């Protein structure tokens, strides 16, 4: 792993082109918000969705640079959000998203999945690219409501 503090990594990635010097907490929170939105049925368009996926890219880049103790601290909640994203999405090897956005490196697995609940503008765009949802809008919302009422896991801070 890397040798940099969170602040140093935020500044380094900002100099590499990220719009601001983010913190790990900010990007984890952004990932959590996106995962929650995908579970409920993402309500925005394809361009916002692909923009929102970049919060997970930032975490991927930061992991290579951060001190081991920071990585150990943040890995459990990120892994939990990754698992929830995986459950709320369908792996199509990026076929649907690739019609709208050039896919990054295969290691960035979240780019090769699309939401199970295809709703609104995003749903229309992804369906036009051949995506097939596995749940109707009502089923996806019902599952998200059930999930949001569950207590946090042991590695998931309260309020997430």
């Amino acid at each position: 792993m890397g040798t940099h503090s969170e602040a140093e990594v935020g500044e380094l990635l900002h100099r590499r082109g990220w719009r601001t010097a983010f913190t790990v907490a900010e990007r984890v929170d952004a990932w959590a918000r996106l995962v929650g939105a995908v579970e409920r049925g993402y309500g925005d368009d394809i361009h916002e969705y692909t923009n929102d996926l970049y919060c997970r890219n930032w975490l991927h880049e930061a992991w290579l640079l951060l001190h081991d103790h920071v990585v150990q601290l943040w890995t459990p909640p990120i892994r939990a959000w990754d698992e929830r994203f995986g459950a709320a999405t369908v792996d199509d090897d990026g076929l649907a998203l690739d019609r709208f956005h050039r896919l990054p490196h295969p290691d960035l697995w979240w780019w090769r999945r699309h939401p199970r609940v295809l709703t609104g503008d995003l749903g229309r765009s992804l369906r036009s690219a051949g995506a097939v949802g596995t749940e109707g809008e009502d089923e996806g919302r019902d599952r998200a409501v059930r999930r949001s009422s569950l207590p946090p896991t042991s590695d998931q801070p309260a309020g997430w």
Side-chain angles (χ1 to χ4, degrees), residues 10-145:
E11 286 299 324
L12 178 61
L13 292 178
H14 178 52
R15 287 193 304 271
R16 289 184 182 176
W18 289 91
R19 67 178 164 84
T20 192
F22 293 111
T23 66
V24 173
E26 288 170 333
R27 298 293 77 196
V28 170
D29 287 345
W31 183 230
R33 283 190 305 275
L34 175 58
V35 171
V38 168
E39 288 173 334
R40 290 185 302 277
Y42 190 88
D44 221 326
D45 65 25
I46 187 73
H47 305 292
E48 285 301 314
Y49 181 72
T50 56
N51 184 61
D52 289 347
L53 284 174
Y54 276 98
C55 67
R56 187 60 180 83
N57 287 40
W58 189 96
L59 290 166
H60 182 80
E61 288 184 39
W63 249 229
L64 302 173
L65 305 169
L66 285 164
H67 282 292
D68 288 345
H69 72 278
V70 177
V71 170
Q72 290 172 359
L73 174 70
W74 284 103
T75 293
I78 293 169
R79 185 170 289 141
W81 288 115
D82 286 352
E83 289 172 9
R84 285 177 63 171
F85 185 79
T89 57
V90 175
D91 184 350
D92 74 344
D93 201 29
L95 295 176
L97 282 179
D98 192 39
R99 294 262 318 267
F100 304 97
H101 190 285
R102 186 178 62 83
L103 292 181
H105 191 276
D107 287 350
L108 307 181
W109 59 268
W110 49 94
W111 284 94
R112 285 161 173 70
R113 305 185 68 83
H114 67 74
R116 289 185 183 282
V117 179
L118 297 177
T119 185
D121 288 342
L122 177 64
R124 280 187 292 281
S125 294
L126 291 174
R127 277 192 193 95
S128 77
V132 178
T134 61
E135 296 180 0
E137 291 183 38
D138 293 337
E139 292 172 276
R141 284 193 197 104
D142 291 347
R143 185 171 44 81
V145 167

